[in-house]
Amino acid sequence: MPIEQANCMRRFVRMCADAWEQGWHESNAGNLSYRLDEEDIRVCMPFFSIKGEGHEWHGLGFADSDLAGQFFMVTAGGSPLRKVGIDPAINCGVVEIDGEGKAWRKVWGLKGTHPTSEFSSHLLAHAVFIRETDGDNRVVYHAHAPNVTALSLLLEPDEAQWNRALWGVMTEVIMLAPQGVGVLPWMLPGSKELAVRTAAKLEAHDAVVWTQHGIIVREQTFDDAFGLAHAIEKAAGIYLNARAANGGHRPEHLVSPAQLAAICEKMGLDFDVSALAAPDE
Ligand code: 13P
Ligand code: ZN
């Protein structure tokens, strides 16, 4: 069995293809990472190599002992998500983190290339999840979701405003994201600051909007990560359409705070009404 048949690899490749089909990944936009579990490592280990050129250790620029010894499947910097399934060994790969959590090396794929330029954001996010005791988040996904990005041109980078808009669009959003989205102002793509601020937001939110850029989500599985990004992107699109149809004003019939509270009570979700902004115009 080639490594391409490994369960984690098939799911990784499938998610890249699904995401590409949504139109969220122009050129090399977006990136995906997955923290291998014990079974993945057992299945993939026979294909790993650390001999010869290209397998040197590279400093991460930070040290996080919670990442020590972990293996990550990750898209390559500059690679189109469209091509991950066509030529996985070039457009993605598996890296190992050293025993101190301060360096990485290739163990499979990433031929002639390196992990995504947002690797710091992915790794610091994974470190948050490793420290969590009540979850098993293994997937971090960044998309240039067009409606989310368009909405970031209209709304302030203010979580209350964003969640009033997104939760208000359709009842599904609060079910998938009862803690709402986190929102960051514009920051330099690939920067340490973006990585650190994103990881801090992901402690409280499963999705974070990057103003004028896109969205990053974290979830347990590929399906959950894709589903969350999809729901938020769809809600942003509906909100924009409704607002445009209403002469550019906030739609008048958003799902109300009372309705949101009723959904959360039925589903046993925590809901803080104070997380909603006063209606904007
Ligand atoms: P990479 O090609 O390095 O993954 O960059 C794409 C991107 O979306 C940066 O934010
Ligand atoms: Zn990006």
Side-chain angles (χ1 to χ4, degrees):
M1 181 195 82
I3 191 171
E4 285 81 355
Q5 292 302 317
N7 208 9
C8 56
M9 186 88 186
R10 285 193 297 112
R11 286 163 190 265
F12 188 97
V13 164
R14 170 69 193 268
M15 175 144 166
C16 291
D18 287 347
W20 158 253
E21 279 179 19
Q22 291 299 321
W24 302 340
H25 296 282
E26 77 284 357
S27 182
N28 62 305
N31 23 75
L32 177 65
S33 67
Y34 169 74
R35 181 164 60 91
L36 275 65
D37 67 19
E38 275 178 26
E39 175 63 7
D40 299 322
I41 295 169
R42 189 188 66 73
V43 170
C44 295
M45 190 65 89
F47 304 96
F48 292 170
S49 167
I50 50 168
K51 290 202 192 94
E53 240 179 88
H55 298 282
E56 308 77 20
W57 290 105
H58 302 267
L60 286 170
F62 60 85
D64 192 321
S65 57
D66 290 308
L67 296 170
Q70 299 281 347
F71 289 85
F72 294 94
M73 189 169 288
V74 62
T75 48
S79 72
L81 259 65
R82 181 175 66 84
K83 296 193 76 177
V84 171
I86 297 168
D87 206 341
I90 292 174
N91 295 294
C92 71
V94 180
V95 303
E96 178 185 9
I97 306 296
D98 74 347
E100 291 168 84
K102 64 179 178 49
W104 63 272
R105 68 176 169 187
K106 285 179 213 178
V107 297
W108 183 83
L110 293 168
K111 278 189 192 154
T113 181
H114 49 78
T116 169
S117 58
E118 305 288 6
F119 198 35
S120 299
S121 277
H122 284 252
L123 285 182
L124 290 184
H126 282 290
V128 170
F129 315 146
I130 291 167
R131 284 191 283 276
E132 283 178 348
T133 49
D134 59 346
D136 190 19
N137 288 279
R138 292 184 174 273
V139 179
V140 178
Y141 168 54
H142 162 51
H144 288 191
N147 290 310
V148 169
T149 307
L151 194 52
S152 81
L153 309 181
L154 285 180
L155 299 184
E156 296 297 325
D158 170 79
E159 278 148 23
Q161 272 193 39
W162 271 85
N163 291 316
R164 180 80 198 100
L166 296 176
W167 286 340
V169 162
M170 52 184 188
T171 51
E172 186 74 13
V173 181
I174 197 154
M175 297 183 198
L176 290 172
Q179 68 298 93
V181 294
V183 185
L184 287 175
W186 180 87
M187 278 175 209
L188 192 64
S191 65
K192 178 86 181 295
E193 188 194 10
L194 179 61
V196 169
R197 299 269 305 269
T198 298
K201 288 282 180 197
L202 287 172
E203 289 191 21
H205 305 273
D206 290 342
V208 177
V209 172
W210 286 351
T211 293
Q212 300 161 338
H213 187 158
I215 190 167
I216 185 163
V217 300
R218 52 100 153 212
E219 278 290 356
Q220 297 197 11
T221 67
F222 292 107
D223 286 345
D224 291 342
F226 187 74
L228 181 62
H230 204 178
I232 293 170
E233 166 62 6
K234 184 174 177 184
I238 295 171
Y239 182 85
L240 287 168
N241 282 338
R243 194 161 172 149
N246 197 33
H249 301 293
R250 174 180 173 274
E252 281 156 37
H253 302 293
L254 295 174
V255 182
S256 70
Q259 288 168 325
L260 294 170
I263 295 163
C264 291
E265 193 186 335
K266 180 166 187 287
M267 299 194 66
L269 302 169
D270 278 340
F271 174 59
D272 177 8
V273 180
S274 67
L276 297 174
D280 61 334
E281 286 307 328

